[in-house]
Amino acid sequence: MGLTSALSMALSGLNANQRGLQLTATNIANADTPGYTAKTIDQTSLVEDGRVIGLDSTRIQRSLDEAIQTQLRTESASGRYAERIDSYQSRLDELFGTPGGTNGLDVLFSSFTSALEGLATTPESYATRSEAITSGQVLAGQLNSLSDDVQTMRQENETFLRDSVREMNAALQNIQRLNDRILANSSSSSGTADLEDQRDIYVDQLAQYLDVQISKDNKGGVRISTAGGASLFDGTAAVLEFDSRGQVTTETAYDFKSDDRSVGTINLVTTSGSKVDLLQPGLLRNGSVAAARDLRDDILVEAQGQLDQFAAAMASALGNRTEEGTAVTSGTQDGFDLNLTGLQAGNPISFTVSNVSSGQESTISFVRVDDPESLPLSDSVTGRSDDTVIGIDFSGGTSSVISQIQSALGGSFQVSDEGGDTIRILDDGVVNAVEIVSFDAQITSTSLTGEGVALPFFVDVGGTSFSNSQDGTSQLQGFSSRIAVNSNLIEDNSRLVIYETSPETLDGDSARPLFLFDALTGTVNSYASESGIGTVSAPFSGTVDDLVSQIISVRGAEAEQAANSANSQSNVIDILQNRFSESTEVSIDREMARLVELQTAYAANARVMQVVQELLETIIRI
């Protein structure tokens, strides 16, 4: 090896030492800087004519495990989802109350039924009647308050979705800015490690909101999409916008069809100008945005539905009476007459028939509708799993009602108008293929007297009786936010006892108080499954007392499940974060050891240069 070659190798070694020392100092200085990854210099031999002439040590590499980084981002999105769900489930659990808790729904309901039970013992007592009404007002007021709280939480998540758009757009713009610089410097000898660190910070921010998938090209550029396939960044950042629809209420809901949607959504605006609804099913599965969507559109809607179901169950139990059909015979045909006087929109007419040969029974629930635009009705309207629901438009008069029922039943039955709001249905007579088992109706009371012991204790806005009307928006939707004690009852609490005025019920009569107490604690009903209580095939059945206990139990179970999921996800993230940190963090001990190595190498290269200098001086002297 010549002196020139030796000098060249020593100089390149010194340069490598200098860069190594600078990088070591940078690593140590940024040991606690968020997002900073430990850096190393990629050293390669410089070869000329088959001979090593020095070192190339200019390109800086990041120290990180990309597989763990990818998994960490995925789990972080899941963690943010679980964390947000847990936060709101915990709040719901606290609002609804624990079984036996001070302000729990079950406790307030128990106070109300206890007051009714006391009323049955001393119906003539003004104080006892007043206590029953006051307990009802407290319960109704709590339902109003809980409904408001649920809608407030829905609005919070609507606001979060709106605000998250600004944050995600900022992250995407920063990713584009840094990605452009990385591509521009991709062939630079010094590398793009620091720029990639900065870009990763914004990618990680984006991954908190959305479940993202990242891919890289051979120049260091990235492509970002949601797990559902919506492209967020393909060299150019997508633009996100929030399409607001105003205040969130019990009647507002998400729908993929823009014209039917009454809450806001996040649109992804593509480079061609088209828009993709990111909140539609399938595009987002995890991240805080998906959690806010699921809370606003599903979980909190379900909680509202449970409150509405409970409010409706109380109003219906106290306010509905059963009108049973009267058995009749006409020649060889048997059937029933049913008086529909007082039938309200939403009230069901139940018709049960048996197949003579098989003995199998089937039930049709004809539900009164005054607005034909509401047809057809869902089978879940009655809350029963053993019936088929058919909406009957009453706006065209009795003849139209008869025609609609006849059309629904077919030729095996004969439907006729018997006058005075009475409908008759007869079987197939001598054919004897079917047998009518029962024909009755649930009729909602609208007056405090003259309609039997049932009464509209709880009413809707304007004192309207709750009949589960399906005209326009279902009366059930948001009923808990509107439920109130009948103002006429507050003005005259004697009507808790007096249900007939001619002759007038004695003020010591306990018939109505006993009915009210039994309606809430002793009468079993089935409840629609939309609110998460029971299922479509096996709806929850029980008393109103059972229903409120089940609602609190369901809320507690969902809160516990959410907490367990959040804790489990947090543990997974902690493990991955520790593993990722091990691959990226600056080890002071390692850097100090590297510093000693560099100092030794520096001294060695300096000694080579010194020897070369001495040899050159000797040659010159010769």
Side-chain angles (χ1 to χ4, degrees):
M1 176 185 298
L3 293 179
T4 303
S5 297
L7 183 61
S8 175
M9 291 183 65
L11 283 172
S12 67
L14 286 174
N15 288 332
N17 292 151
Q18 184 178 7
R19 294 189 180 93
L21 288 169
Q22 290 173 343
L23 184 59
T24 298
T26 300
N27 279 339
I28 294 173
N30 289 279
D32 295 324
T33 301
Y36 183 84
T37 61
K39 306 296 190 300
T40 58
I41 294 180
D42 184 19
Q43 294 185 336
T44 57
S45 298
L46 293 175
V47 180
E48 183 179 283
D49 298 330
R51 294 181 298 110
V52 176
I53 61 173
L55 287 175
D56 179 8
S57 57
T58 58
R59 192 166 188 84
I60 297 174
Q61 300 287 342
R62 298 196 299 167
S63 175
L64 83 165
D65 188 322
E66 291 189 354
I68 295 179
Q69 183 185 48
T70 298
Q71 189 176 2
L72 179 59
R73 284 172 176 159
T74 299
E75 297 301 335
S76 293
S78 299
R80 283 302 178 96
Y81 180 93
E83 180 183 293
R84 190 171 186 87
I85 297 295
D86 175 41
S87 172
Y88 279 86
Q89 287 284 21
S90 177
R91 287 172 62 182
L92 280 175
D93 186 39
E94 185 176 348
L95 285 173
F96 278 62
T98 56
T102 305
N103 294 318
L105 274 180
D106 61 334
V107 173
L108 297 180
F109 179 75
S110 179
S111 296
F112 177 50
T113 56
S114 294
L116 293 177
E117 187 176 25
L119 180 63
T121 303
T122 55
E124 70 284 354
S125 169
Y126 178 90
T128 305
R129 297 197 297 265
S130 179
E131 181 184 355
I133 290 176
T134 299
S135 295
Q137 288 177 304
V138 171
L139 182 54
Q142 180 70 352
L143 284 170
N144 298 158
S145 177
L146 288 174
S147 179
D148 289 344
D149 288 336
V150 170
Q151 294 311 309
T152 296
M153 287 191 280
R154 290 187 70 210
Q155 183 63 54
E156 288 172 4
N157 283 281
E158 170 96 346
T159 302
F160 176 83
L161 290 171
R162 181 199 66 197
D163 293 345
S164 67
V165 168
R166 179 178 63 252
E167 300 298 328
M168 290 187 292
N169 277 331
L172 285 168
Q173 289 300 316
N174 281 311
I175 290 170
Q176 178 168 342
R177 173 178 59 83
L178 291 164
N179 196 74
D180 290 344
R181 291 181 61 188
I182 289 169
L183 292 177
N185 290 278
S186 61
S187 58
S188 170
S189 61
S190 59
T192 58
D194 288 335
L195 292 173
E196 290 180 62
D197 277 353
Q198 296 174 46
R199 184 180 63 188
D200 278 353
I201 291 174
Y202 294 109
V203 172
D204 290 343
Q205 287 179 4
L206 189 64
Q208 304 299 309
Y209 292 99
L210 310 168
D211 46 349
V212 296
Q213 292 184 336
I214 315 295
S215 60
K216 288 187 177 181
D217 58 33
N218 55 9
K219 293 184 178 181
V222 296
R223 298 290 183 270
I224 306 174
S225 64
T226 70
S231 177
L232 298 169
F233 180 77
D234 59 356
T236 300
V239 176
L240 304 176
E241 63 177 23
F242 187 72
D243 181 12
S244 178
R245 294 298 169 93
Q247 190 73 15
V248 175
T249 69
T250 58
E251 295 184 1
T252 56
Y254 175 83
D255 195 295
F256 178 58
K257 297 178 181 178
S258 179
D259 292 341
D260 297 331
R261 177 168 48 81
S262 51
V263 293
T265 195
I266 297 175
N267 286 324
L268 184 154
V269 183
T270 65
T271 53
S272 64
S274 61
K275 296 182 179 180
V276 178
D277 186 348
L278 278 185
L279 300 190
Q280 65 176 290
L283 288 187
L284 300 181
R285 300 164 191 169
N286 280 305
S288 56
V289 168
R293 174 203 60 194
D294 290 350
L295 283 163
R296 185 196 65 180
D297 300 337
D298 295 313
I299 295 171
L300 292 169
V301 170
E302 180 182 273
Q304 179 68 52
Q306 291 166 355
L307 294 174
D308 293 342
Q309 187 76 264
F310 174 50
M314 289 197 302
S316 297
L318 302 181
N320 287 356
R321 62 182 174 85
T322 300
E323 181 70 24
E324 296 183 351
T326 302
V328 296
T329 298
S330 178
T332 60
Q333 295 176 289
D334 296 321
F336 290 87
D337 284 350
L338 181 61
N339 189 312
L340 300 181
T341 300
L343 191 78
Q344 304 294 308
N347 286 166
I349 305 168
S350 181
F351 176 74
T352 301
V353 63
S354 174
N355 184 298
V356 173
S357 61
S358 66
Q360 183 176 356
E361 293 186 356
S362 58
T363 299
I364 297 176
S365 292
F366 298 107
V367 176
R368 173 169 178 163
V369 170
D370 292 337
D371 179 7
E373 294 296 322
S374 299
L375 298 175
L377 300 181
S378 167
D379 263 351
S380 64
V381 166
T382 61
R384 299 174 56 174
S385 62
D386 62 344
D387 69 341
T388 299
V389 174
I390 298 176
I392 301 295
D393 176 16
F394 272 63
S395 63
T398 302
S399 60
S400 173
V401 171
I402 296 295
S403 176
Q404 292 174 70
I405 294 177
Q406 182 68 74
S407 176
L409 294 179
S412 296
F413 303 93
Q414 180 182 330
V415 186
S416 61
D417 178 9
E418 297 301 305
D421 293 327
T422 298
I423 291 179
R424 173 175 291 181
I425 298 182
L426 299 173
D427 62 18
D428 56 358
V430 69
V431 177
N432 197 31
V434 293
E435 178 183 351
I436 301 175
V437 177
S438 62
F439 188 38
D440 54 51
Q442 291 290 314
I443 298 178
T444 298
S445 300
T446 58
S447 173
L448 297 179
T449 59
E451 297 182 357
V453 291
L455 86 164
F457 188 104
F458 294 109
V459 294
D460 207 333
V461 174
T464 305
S465 296
F466 181 83
S467 61
N468 200 28
S469 171
Q470 301 301 307
D471 293 339
T473 301
S474 170
Q475 190 181 14
L476 175 64
Q477 187 172 352
F479 180 53
S480 60
S481 68
R482 309 184 304 269
I483 188 173
V485 174
N486 194 323
S487 60
N488 294 323
L489 197 57
I490 296 173
E491 292 175 5
D492 182 6
N493 65 26
S494 68
R495 297 313 185 195
L496 278 174
V497 177
I498 299 172
Y499 58 92
E500 293 292 347
T501 57
S502 182
E504 185 170 287
T505 308
L506 297 175
D507 64 0
D509 193 315
S510 62
R512 173 169 272 181
L514 285 172
F515 165 79
L516 299 178
F517 178 73
D518 182 70
L520 297 175
T521 63
T523 303
V524 175
N525 295 292
S526 294
Y527 305 96
S529 61
E530 281 84 353
S531 61
I533 306 297
T535 63
V536 175
S537 59
F540 177 75
S541 294
T543 65
V544 180
D545 196 2
D546 294 331
L547 176 63
V548 67
S549 297
Q550 182 69 9
I551 288 173
I552 292 177
S553 176
V554 167
R555 290 262 57 88
E558 292 194 2
E560 183 179 4
Q561 182 179 358
N564 291 338
S565 177
N567 290 334
S568 175
Q569 197 63 42
S570 177
N571 291 334
V572 171
I573 292 172
D574 287 345
I575 293 172
L576 287 172
Q577 186 63 63
N578 289 335
R579 291 177 60 190
F580 183 64
S581 295
E582 288 174 1
S583 71
T584 62
E585 68 182 1
V586 175
S587 170
I588 300 300
D589 291 341
R590 187 165 55 242
E591 295 301 324
M592 295 304 294
R594 177 62 177 160
L595 185 60
V596 172
E597 292 177 5
L598 289 169
Q599 289 174 333
T600 302
Y602 186 89
N605 284 302
R607 177 59 180 156
V608 169
M609 292 187 68
Q610 182 181 5
V611 170
V612 170
Q613 181 182 8
E614 292 172 352
L615 289 173
L616 288 173
E617 290 176 350
T618 300
I619 293 172
I620 291 172
R621 284 197 301 270
I622 293 174

